[in-house]
C-alpha cells in the first residue's frame, strides 16, 4: 500500500502553459503505478495536488507560482446577493449524486459543452475516450452531480469525496442555459452537500490571478489559499 513516504514523483518536460500566454509550465505527477486510496488522495489534496482521471498532479514550474490551490471553508460561507439570485433562478432544478460512469447522455452534454465553449482549449475536439480518461477512470469515491430540469439533463459536475471535504473536479452544462449560471449553482450545491456531510472544505482546484476564467473562484468567501506549505485565508483575490 502506497503512502506519502513511499510515493515516487515525476516531472514533465517544460510545455506551453494552458492558462498564461508566453509561459512554459512543468507538471509534477505521482507515479501512475502507485495505489492511491481515499486516505492518500485526501493527503495529496491538502498538499495541493489535483486528480485528472488516473493522474494526480500539481504545477511544478521553476520560475512561476501563479497556480495557487484554493479551498472554501463551508461553515463560514454565506452566499452574496449575486449567488442568492443564482439559487432563486434555479429553484426548479433537481440534483442527484450518482457514481461516476460513462453514459451516452453524459457524453452528449460534455461534447456540446466543449464544442461550444472551449474550442480554444486542450480538450477540443471532444471524444468518448477523453471523457472517460478525464472524468471516469481513476475514480476514488467519485461522483457525478446530475442537474436536471423536468428530467432533462442540463448540467453535470464531477465531484470527489475526501476525508475532509469534497473536491470539485469539473462542471459542464447546456450552453443554451448560460444565463442560469449553472457553474456557480453547481458549486453552491456542493457547498451545501459538504455541510450536510459534516465536512469542512470544498476544494476548488487552482486559482490564477491573471486568468479571467478563474475569477469566479474568489467570489466564494472565506476562501483559503495554499502558500508556502500553509493554508491561509486569501485576502487579495
Amino acid at each position: 500500500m502506497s503512502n506519502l513516504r513511499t510515493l515516487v514523483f515525476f516531472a514533465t518536460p517544460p510545455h506551453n502553459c494552458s492558462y498564461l500566454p508566453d509561459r512554459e509550465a512543468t507538471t509534477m505527477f505521482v507515479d501512475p503505478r502507485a495505489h492511491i486510496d481515499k486516505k492518500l488522495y485526501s493527503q495529496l489534496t491538502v498538499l495541493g495536488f489535483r486528480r485528472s482521471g488516473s493522474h494526480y498532479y500539481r504545477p511544478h514550474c521553476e520560475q512561476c507560482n501563479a497556480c495557487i490551490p484554493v479551498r472554501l471553508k463551508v461553515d463560514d460561507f454565506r452566499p452574496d446577493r449575486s449567488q442568492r439570485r443564482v439559487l432563486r433562478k434555479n429553484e426548479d432544478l433537481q440534483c442527484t449524486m450518482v457514481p461516476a460512469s460513462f453514459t451516452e447522455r453524459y457524453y452528449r452534454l460534455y461534447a456540446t459543452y466543449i464544442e461550444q465553449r472551449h474550442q480554444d482549449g486542450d480538450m477540443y475536439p471532444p471524444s468518448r475516450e477523453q471523457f472517460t480518461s478525464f472524468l471516469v477512470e481513476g475514480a476514488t469515491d467519485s461522483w457525478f452531480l446530475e442537474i436536471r430540469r423536468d428530467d432533462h439533463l442540463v448540467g453535470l459536475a464531477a465531484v470527489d469525496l475526501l476525508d475532509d471535504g469534497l473536491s470539485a473536479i469539473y462542471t459542464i452544462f447546456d450552453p443554451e442555459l448560460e444565463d442560469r449560471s449553472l457553474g456557480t449553482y453547481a458549486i453552491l450545491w456542493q457547498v451545501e452537500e459538504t455541510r450536510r456531510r459534516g465536512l469542512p472544505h470544498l476544494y476548488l482546484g487552482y486559482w490564477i490571478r491573471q486568468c479571467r476564467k478563474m475569477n469566479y473562484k474568489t467570489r466564494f468567501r472565506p476562501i483559503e489559499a495554499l502558500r508556502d506549505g500553509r493554508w491561509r485565508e486569501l485576502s487579495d483575490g
Side-chain angles (χ1 to χ4, degrees), residues 91-111:
E91 287 178 342
D92 60 331
L93 301 183
Q94 302 85 44
C95 294
T96 308
M97 290 269 277
V98 299
S101 65
F102 176 89
T103 71
E104 277 296 318
R105 184 174 62 151
Y106 295 161
Y107 175 70
R108 287 195 298 271
L109 181 63
Y110 173 83

Side-chain angles (χ1 to χ4, degrees), residues 91-170:
E91 287 178 342
D92 60 331
L93 301 183
Q94 302 85 44
C95 294
T96 308
M97 290 269 277
V98 299
S101 65
F102 176 89
T103 71
E104 277 296 318
R105 184 174 62 151
Y106 295 161
Y107 175 70
R108 287 195 298 271
L109 181 63
Y110 173 83
T112 300
Y113 178 81
I114 297 298
E115 288 168 353
Q116 296 192 26
R117 290 182 61 92
H118 291 288
Q119 290 190 14
D120 59 344
D122 295 339
M123 293 185 292
Y124 183 84
S127 69
R128 290 169 177 79
E129 293 76 18
Q130 177 196 73
F131 176 93
T132 301
S133 64
F134 177 31
L135 297 177
V136 179
E137 289 180 359
T140 303
D141 211 344
S142 302
W143 301 80
F144 283 166
L145 168 62
E146 291 186 351
I147 305 174
R148 302 182 308 278
R149 183 180 65 172
D150 299 329
D151 206 35
H152 176 64
L153 185 70
V154 298
L156 191 73
V159 186
D160 285 349
L161 178 59
L162 305 173
D163 288 343
D164 69 331
L166 298 184
S167 178
I169 301 298
Y170 199 66

Side-chain angles (χ1 to χ4, degrees), residues 79-90 180:
D80 61 21
R81 180 180 301 177
S82 174
Q83 291 160 347
R84 292 195 298 271
R85 188 162 54 246
V86 170
L87 289 172
R88 290 194 298 270
K89 188 181 297 186
N90 291 293
R180 281 180 172 259

Side-chain angles (χ1 to χ4, degrees), residues 15 42 46 62 138 144 149 157 197:
H15 53 275
S42 300
V46 172
E62 287 189 6
F144 283 166
R149 183 180 65 172
R197 292 173 180 265

